[in-house]
Amino acid sequence: MKAFDLVIIGGGPAGIAAAATAASHGLKVALIDERPTLGGQIYKRVGPGFTVKKASEVGKDYYLGEKLIAELDNLKVDIYFETLVATIEQSEVVVIQNGKSAERLSFRKLLISPGAYDRPVVFPGWTLPGVITAGAAQSLVKTQRVAPGSRIFFAGSGPLALAFPAQLSGYGANIVGIIEAAPRPGILKSIQIALSVLGNFDLLRDAAKYQLHLISNRIPMHYRRIIVRANGKNRVESVTHARVDKNWQVIPGTEKTVEVDALCIGYGFFPSVELFRLLGCELGYEESRGGTVVKLNEWGATSVANVFGAGDGTGISGSYVAIARGRLAALKIAAELGKISESSLSKLAAGFRKTLNRRVKFQSAINRAYEIKSGIYDLADDETIICRCESVKLESILPSLESTIDPSVVKAYTRCGMGLCQGRNCQRQISALIAKKQNIPISEITQATPRFPTKPIKLGQIADASIRDEKYFVDAE
Amino acid sequence: MLNSDFLAGYLSQSENFEELPKQSDVVIIGGGLLGTALSYYLATAGVEVTLLERNDLNREASGTNAGSFHFQIALHQLTENMTAADDKRLADETKLMLDAAKLWDEIEKELDADLGVHFTGGFMVAETQEEFQVLRDKQRIENVAGLETHVLTGNEMREFAPYLAPDLSGIAFCPREGHANPLLVGPTYAYRAHELGAKIRTNCEVIQIEQITGISGYRFKIHTSRGTILCNRVVNASGAWTAELSSQLGLNLPMALSGLHVNVTEPREFFLHSMVQHIGRRLTLKQTANNTFIIGGGWPSRAEKFPLRYSNIWESAAGNAAVAVRVLPMLKDVQLVRVWSGVWAYTNDFKPILGESEKIPGYHIAMVPTGFTLGPMVSKMLAEYMTQPGTQNLLPKEFHVDR
């Protein structure tokens, strides 16, 4: 078994920054990522066989990512690419590298920075081919230079709801329309954001740039409208959207239909809290940061000893916060392991803490401005599939909601959440249905018992024939 | 006929959230398979019965097992040096299994419900020659007791079960084995009991069982999270928590708890009609109606305090997977999607604890280690004992509560 001072799970902004900082202070570091390259979603690198000829075309994030990843160049960090974390037990991470058998990495400290995934939004037609998440569209473009369709429609909310289509349009894709569920930013909201923006000019400039791009390319953009339906037989052929009230409830009679061949859905993100739940870390609920979030102290320590968290996987806060959080956690870990003194810790941390506070302020203003409203959970009709892994429709779920507030009971009776994704797609929707039916806040609905593996793994890779049961006979004491 | 959609809606609906009755002839503690089945059999005999469940019905071992009928003699019934006495014991245990099989034959008709009961046979595999000899020995006992099993080896085995590893030393096949849907059996019993007048109350936790005397004539006062209820007779059917609750009354039950690990895979095209067990190693394996594979067989999980569920151990997943892949090689490319763990309550001799305490008249226990297979039958046996005074001999001595 390989032993490390620090094992970091997730090679996005938080994980890379933490790895570089920790290694530069002499810690023996392992960095684990599912993908064949570092960068996470925001700094995702181009796929194999692709090269970047004109870096200006791929955007500012590309530069920032390359710069961050380059920090690792002259440092000793063991990077495990294409590696899944199956589970974590005591002070060991059980990892499975592509095609190989399970291996254990022991750690003195653990940093979990798994990132976030696109919020699944359930509406009639959401499982049709051609309906993809904005994140998936972004990955297609970033790694393969492929646009998801020839008539692309964007439905979403939040600052990235503008950024994605603007980026895509910049690459020459044909965007036929964008809808944003929140109202057009009014004077009050603009002032709120502007007040928090001190030192965040680049972020505001980005937003303005995206908006300008959309206007100058005459891409229709509508506020206060939400996706209602994706229509089509074997794939999406058109989308219907409608005006919403302040809770994002659809206003009847305001529907409009547009012909499209691709629909990108971008209503924000869910933190990937599976590993934190498995370890029993204390969690909270903040709708504006993606729902279930991880409670961290000022250094990023969770409630479980020796386990730290950073990045969007602990609550959506963006890449700048992720980097600052990653560095602060790494410094604290270096101090706890005796590599730096307490006094140099506070000196080294000061700069990052300043950045962190500034960015957190901005991000919370943005998150509040674009908070997800309850109407997002009310789009399904009886025939809509809620659990796409097990093909369970809303009408099959409704009877079980009569009698329980426990999603595990709904799961047991309907198979909702029992499939390959293990509820990543449907669990929040089930909680929302229970919350509405029983008239309790969604934050109070319990979640299914956390179990490994966090992602599906072949039994052949898990099997370990050296582990023996007591041969033959149970001992009757 | 009842179907699962209906039951999902019933679960705790109807009158479950209504107030507790002030008194009841019988109070059953625990809404698992034994408790719900007992409430049904008592209600059919016209007994006034109230069932108390602290959570929802069927949520612990009764609803988290694989729903298999284990009739063949299995690993846990064997001892190190088998004697003639062991042969006699195994023959008795096999006869009990045959009685259970008869009940499962009739249960869908009895309850007028589709419970997913199928008799699709079961394998018991052997890897070594030593294990193969055990298959032959157990077949002799089973056949004398009246349970049909066949032992196959070599080409005959490979032809009969071509998907099993070709180098196994042999297999036993029992056509009588099969399965039912564990999510439906308990709740259906509860529903039918409710139709017959039994009162089912969920989200009602028993805090204390108080023995009383006095003019009321009742022997027990049950204190619950939803008030008190007086009763003549109590049945503790609280599964893994049976001993904990009984210790309040000074009873020391000869039982222990263990967490059991289960691996669940993604679905594959259906081909495995029969459950597979191993005579020498910890393995039970079946392909479900949803085409997934459920793999278990007695690998441990980590104890946690209620309401936390027992947590899983990686070694159990890895060791269990290795045995499964060894026996059914195609599994090596099938993905594990989740694990789970139930709590298993067992006795040192794997016999049920069933009947009325002599120390505390009126206090009954219904607990059985191989709960799903035998649960309905032992509940029926206890109901017969409780409704036919003077039938002390209905329950086998070795099941005795005060043993």
Side-chain angles (χ1 to χ4, degrees), chain A residues 86-87 89-90 92 94 96 102 104 390 396 399-406 408-409 411-415 417-420 422 449-453 455-477, chain B residues 5 8-13 17 56 59 75-76 78-80 128 130-131 134 183 187 261 265-266 280-282 290 292 295 299 302 309-315 317-319 321-322 325 331-341 346 348 350:
Chain A
T87 189
E89 292 207 324
Q90 280 90 42
E92 290 168 24
V94 180
I96 303 208
R104 284 152 182 275
E390 296 289 321
S396 319
S400 63
L401 300 177
E402 295 290 333
S403 56
T404 186
I405 55 166
D406 183 355
S408 297
V409 174
K411 182 174 163 181
Y413 279 83
T414 64
R415 294 194 63 75
M418 283 197 183
L420 273 180
Q422 285 296 289
T449 309
R451 304 280 191 196
F452 65 75
K455 300 274 169 71
I457 304 166
K458 284 180 181 174
L459 284 174
Q461 290 177 281
I462 292 168
D464 183 347
S466 71
I467 301 170
R468 304 297 295 183
D469 37 3
E470 298 98 351
K471 189 84 170 105
Y472 273 75
F473 308 110
V474 168
D475 53 329
E477 308 136 48
Chain B
D5 284 352
Y10 167 69
L11 258 190
S12 323
Q13 205 185 5
F17 291 111
D56 284 311
R59 290 291 298 139
L75 179 63
H76 68 260
L78 306 176
T79 57
E80 199 95 36
T128 64
E130 198 186 2
E131 287 168 0
V134 178
L183 296 174
H261 178 98
T265 74
E266 63 183 333
R281 301 209 56 195
R282 297 187 174 205
N290 306 297
T292 59
I295 305 166
W299 293 80
R302 203 177 286 118
R309 304 242 154 193
Y310 276 38
S311 59
N312 295 87
I313 302 169
W314 178 256
E315 278 73 12
V325 169
L331 285 176
K332 72 178 194 316
D333 292 319
V334 179
Q335 295 187 110
L336 173 76
V337 299
R338 71 176 182 280
V339 297
W340 91 66
S341 169
Y346 64 98
N348 294 343
F350 295 100

Side-chain angles (χ1 to χ4, degrees), chain A residues 26 36 41 45 136 143 146 234 293 331 373 402 440 451 461:
Chain A
Q41 177 68 6
R45 302 177 122 179
T143 66
V146 173
N234 298 315
V293 297
L331 287 173
K373 302 290 198 250
E402 295 290 333
I440 41 180
R451 304 280 191 196
Q461 290 177 281

Side-chain angles (χ1 to χ4, degrees), chain A residues 170-434:
Chain A
Y171 296 143
N174 179 30
I175 315 288
V176 298
I178 302 167
I179 53 168
E180 157 67 73
R184 186 186 293 277
I187 292 175
L188 192 65
K189 194 174 281 175
S190 299
I191 291 172
Q192 271 176 359
I193 295 177
L195 281 176
S196 68
V197 91
L198 217 62
N200 289 301
F201 288 116
D202 49 342
L203 296 179
L204 203 66
R205 197 178 56 221
D206 286 353
K209 202 176 74 190
Y210 292 140
Q211 183 108 35
L212 199 66
H213 178 93
L214 297 175
I215 294 168
S216 62
N217 285 276
R218 302 188 175 178
I219 296 171
M221 164 109 196
H222 305 286
Y223 287 94
R224 282 210 166 153
R225 297 191 74 84
I226 202 167
I227 183 73
V228 171
R229 226 170 24 246
N231 314 297
K233 224 173 141 194
N234 298 315
R235 57 165 297 117
V236 60
E237 291 161 8
S238 66
V239 295
T240 303
H241 54 96
R243 194 169 167 79
V244 289
D245 65 14
K246 64 181 194 320
N247 291 320
W248 294 12
Q249 295 291 339
V250 170
I251 299 170
T254 60
E255 289 87 354
K256 278 185 191 156
T257 299
V258 190
E259 271 184 39
V260 305
D261 64 359
L263 168 62
C264 299
I265 298 295
Y267 288 89
F269 307 91
F270 284 175
S272 194
V273 296
E274 295 84 0
L275 289 170
F276 295 105
R277 290 192 66 221
L278 202 56
L279 289 171
C281 298
E282 198 185 334
L283 305 174
Y285 195 93
E286 293 175 38
E287 194 68 68
S288 67
R289 293 212 299 142
T292 306
V293 297
V294 182
K295 296 213 166 149
L296 302 175
N297 74 6
E298 53 169 343
W299 295 104
T302 68
S303 62
V304 173
N306 299 321
V307 178
F308 290 72
D312 283 354
T314 63
I316 309 302
S317 302
S319 59
Y320 293 92
V321 172
I323 291 171
R325 278 283 198 186
R327 296 207 195 274
L328 286 169
L331 287 173
K332 179 66 174 169
I333 287 165
E336 286 183 4
L337 296 181
K339 298 289 184 183
I340 50 179
S341 67
E342 280 300 319
S343 59
S344 46
L345 171 64
S346 46
K347 218 162 65 197
L348 287 166
F352 300 129
R353 199 168 293 292
K354 214 168 125 193
T355 316
L356 178 66
N357 292 341
R358 199 167 68 212
R359 300 290 177 173
V360 162
K361 232 182 204 170
F362 179 71
Q363 195 69 38
S364 3
I366 291 279
N367 285 350
R368 271 199 310 275
Y370 290 100
E371 188 161 355
I372 295 286
K373 302 290 198 250
S374 60
I376 194 103
Y377 298 116
D378 292 333
L379 298 168
D381 62 27
D382 280 4
E383 285 288 307
T384 306
I385 285 176
I386 304 289
C387 169
R388 64 190 305 168
C389 298
E390 296 289 321
S391 297
V392 186
K393 291 178 178 174
L394 178 62
E395 60 184 3
S396 319
I397 294 166
L398 291 175
S400 63
L401 300 177
E402 295 290 333
S403 56
T404 186
I405 55 166
D406 183 355
S408 297
V409 174
V410 176
K411 182 174 163 181
Y413 279 83
T414 64
R415 294 194 63 75
C416 245
M418 283 197 183
L420 273 180
C421 89
Q422 285 296 289
R424 276 183 189 78
N425 280 296
C426 66
Q427 193 162 48
R428 185 77 62 82
Q429 185 70 23
I430 299 289
S431 297
L433 287 169
I434 294 172

Side-chain angles (χ1 to χ4, degrees), chain B residues 1 3 69 96 104 148 180 215 229 234 241 244 260 325 339 394:
Chain B
M1 196 184 238
N3 64 41
F69 308 146
L96 197 67
W104 284 111
E148 179 187 346
I215 47 164
I229 176 170
V234 183
W241 296 273
E244 198 179 310
L260 293 187
V325 169
V339 297
L394 269 173

